[in-house]
Amino acid sequence: MKEQISFNTSGVCAKKIHFTREDGIITDISFEGGCNGNLKAISKLCEGMSAEKIAQILKGNLCGTKGTSCADQLARAVLEA
């Protein structure tokens, strides 16, 4: 079943992350706000991956001293979904 998901971020410049989940595969990733070019690149690189693979790659990635990053927030979002 195809499910559209929106995730409210915390502690980063991007305000929301949107993606589709179907049979454990994540597609159509987009961010509201944040560093446009970098987040488009992350979205393209993660397209078609499983939530577990995205989390394995991105979880714990930090942005400066924030304790998280947009990439880390994506990892959290796909795991929560």
Side-chain angles (χ1 to χ4, degrees):
M1 178 163 128
K2 201 173 204 179
E3 183 179 10
Q4 302 275 342
I5 298 165
S6 292
F7 177 83
N8 293 317
T9 62
S10 177
V12 296
C13 298
K15 300 300 175 206
K16 271 191 175 185
I17 303 171
H18 306 282
F19 57 93
T20 301
R21 180 181 65 187
E22 184 174 17
D23 298 326
I25 301 300
I26 306 300
T27 59
D28 306 318
I29 304 165
S30 66
F31 292 78
E32 286 184 26
C35 303
N36 190 38
N38 290 334
L39 296 177
K40 282 182 182 175
I42 289 170
S43 298
K44 286 180 180 182
L45 291 169
C46 292
E47 181 73 15
M49 286 186 183
S50 69
E52 292 78 16
K53 185 66 175 177
I54 292 171
Q56 177 187 1
I57 294 168
L58 299 178
K59 190 167 182 176
N61 185 62
L62 303 180
C63 182
T65 59
K66 293 181 179 182
T68 188
S69 69
C70 292
D72 182 60
Q73 290 289 297
L74 175 59
R76 294 175 191 207
V78 298
L79 286 178
E80 282 186 25

